[in-house]
Amino acid sequence: MSHLIVSPGAPGAGDRPVLSITPESAGWDYVGFETYRLRAGEKLARPTGDSEVCLVLVEGIAHVATSEQSWRDVGKRMSVFEQTPPYAVYVPNDDRYEVEAVTDLELAVCRAPGRGNHAARLITPAEIGVEVRGEGATQRFIHQILPEGQPADSLLVVEVFTPQGHWSSFPPHKHDRDALPEESLLEETYYYRVQPEQGFAIQRVYTDDRSLDETLAVKNGEAVLVPKGYHPVSAPPGYDVYYLNVMAGPVRTWKFYNDPDHAWLAQPRK
């Protein structure tokens, strides 16, 4: 298996992650990501340490609390493929969070360095930007959970729905150079769900010099590391693909560079 694919372990219970990515395990500096599956009544409690955290309620309902605030019955979406925006909670560094599952819950914990500039807050579906991007076979549907226009120190969080037979993260683009204003350096994870779940997505990760050039078949519940390079995604016929992206780098802005061979595909059609 490719070193870029992170597979879930044994089913977690309570405070055991199903899938875990740390900067140390990924070999980079900024992004951490975990998923948890809690049964109704189970709790997860963690300090944030030196990281800010975005808790994304992927599926299910929960009570969520930090050291100073609490929210009850957070969540509504019971399947990502309802294609409705999720609830999320932002928690700054040097804080803590506790999540108690009201229903069976899938929780994503997105992490990146924090600097204590923002208070904990609930992010509701009404606050999440909904976008249709691309056209024809590149059309996909975007939920901007924590975009750069919303308060955070490092994290950028977005989810994407790619219908069967469509492509996303397309034309192929990259953001691996600290070369603003043209391009920002952002590490990125892709966390996948596939419907029906026996399916797969295809993701290619490659650099201009092809020192990295991998084509990956990614299963439901797996994640992909994108340390550098272009990283397009394809959903095979018959299978809808969801992914949750987490990005972070030295500057909190998303400035990407399209592969010159395929940049023409971004031009408006006549």
Side-chain angles (χ1 to χ4, degrees), residues 116-235:
N117 292 324
H118 309 284
R121 69 184 188 276
L122 176 67
I123 302 170
T124 68
E127 297 170 282
I128 291 174
V130 177
E131 177 185 349
V132 179
R133 195 175 294 168
E135 56 186 70
T138 66
Q139 187 176 83
R140 62 275 196 193
F141 304 92
I142 317 296
H143 292 159
Q144 298 282 3
I145 299 169
L146 193 58
E148 61 185 274
Q150 297 297 321
D153 291 326
S154 300
L155 279 169
L156 297 165
V157 182
V158 62
E159 62 181 17
V160 179
F161 299 84
T162 308
Q164 56 177 296
H166 286 217
W167 288 74
S168 60
S169 294
F170 202 84
H173 68 265
K174 69 181 184 75
H175 36 72
D176 58 14
R177 294 186 304 135
D178 190 2
L180 291 169
E182 289 80 19
E183 185 178 349
S184 56
L185 193 164
L186 294 170
E187 303 162 353
E188 185 169 19
T189 56
Y190 278 66
Y191 170 64
Y192 282 89
R193 294 289 304 278
V194 181
Q195 180 179 256
E197 64 181 26
Q198 73 270 23
F200 58 92
I202 295 294
Q203 183 160 29
R204 188 180 177 203
V205 183
Y206 67 99
T207 56
D208 288 308
D209 63 4
R210 301 304 192 266
S211 59
L212 175 61
D213 189 357
E214 297 204 28
T215 301
L216 313 170
V218 192
K219 299 176 184 176
N220 183 62
E222 292 184 327
V224 169
L225 307 175
V226 182
K228 61 181 178 179
Y230 309 100
H231 40 276
V233 173
S234 178

Side-chain angles (χ1 to χ4, degrees), residues 47-85:
T48 58
D50 60 2
S51 297
E52 63 179 3
V53 170
C54 183
L55 306 172
V56 179
L57 281 78
V58 179
E59 295 177 343
I61 300 170
H63 306 319
V64 183
T66 68
S67 60
E68 296 184 356
Q69 299 195 61
S70 63
W71 303 271
R72 296 187 65 80
D73 297 317
V74 174
K76 182 178 180 182
R77 188 173 74 183
M78 302 307 291
S79 166
V80 294
F81 294 102
E82 293 173 17
Q83 206 168 306
T84 57

